[in-house]
Amino acid sequence: MKILLTSSSRHGTTDEVAAVIAEQLRAAGLDVVQARPEDVADVEGYDAFVLGSAVYMTKWTPEAVDFTKRFHDALKARPVWAFSVGLSGLPQGKVADPMRIGPVLLALDPEDHMTFAGRFDPSRLNLRERSIAKLGGASEGDFRDWGEVRQWADAIATSLHDDTLTGGRERP
């Protein structure tokens, strides 16, 4: 089974989470291709997708959103898992902006969406990002839970292996 795992990261944190997910999926015997969403020209030949993005102001990066639009039909036809890094949660009732995570994922109907805590290192941010983080009360540190990331990847692998045993599940 061939999986495309994309990750969109501004400062590397989301890419590091994606690398751990890929490692777990490979350990489970899955063929995983990792790519940045903006570098993907074609999604033919993939059986499933894992999409990840850093989150800024409740939005996925423009590159991740663009990927979901460019390949919408293919993504709707196959199993998709999604993860976000750096967001503590989506505010209720704040989904009117089509760039926000909620509407992006509703359009894909993913098998699951997981939000992972990120890393906040002010030295990696530009002045604007540091100012926004300061106003938002962000605390410096690495809050990623690698056990949680591995557990989620293992659940994806289990689901994909179960689907293979039952003949797959191409979406209608």
Side-chain angles (χ1 to χ4, degrees), residues 12-109:
T13 300
T14 304
D15 289 340
E16 291 168 1
V17 170
V20 170
I21 293 169
E23 175 184 300
Q24 288 297 115
L25 294 175
R26 287 181 184 122
L30 298 166
D31 180 8
V32 180
V33 174
Q34 276 185 268
R36 298 193 60 76
E38 62 270 25
D39 295 337
V40 176
D42 184 20
V43 296
E44 287 302 314
Y46 292 103
D47 301 300
F49 303 91
V50 179
L51 313 178
S53 178
V55 176
Y56 296 93
M57 306 291 286
T58 73
K59 296 180 183 182
W60 268 15
T61 67
E63 296 83 4
V65 172
D66 178 65
F67 178 88
T68 66
K69 290 178 181 177
R70 284 188 294 134
F71 300 112
H72 178 266
D73 291 344
L75 295 171
K76 286 288 287 183
R78 298 279 185 264
V80 174
W81 284 263
F83 68 97
S84 301
V85 177
L87 180 68
S88 60
L90 278 176
Q92 292 286 334
K94 300 288 186 183
V95 296
D97 181 343
M99 297 293 284
R100 292 186 190 270
I101 298 168
V104 169
L105 295 180
L106 285 174
L108 298 178
D109 189 27

Side-chain angles (χ1 to χ4, degrees), residues 57 86 88 120-122 125 128-141 143:
M57 306 291 286
S88 60
F120 178 58
D121 179 354
L125 306 179
R128 179 180 178 271
E129 291 168 330
R130 282 194 307 272
S131 299
I132 291 170
K134 184 177 179 179
L135 287 172
S139 298
E140 188 171 345
F143 304 101

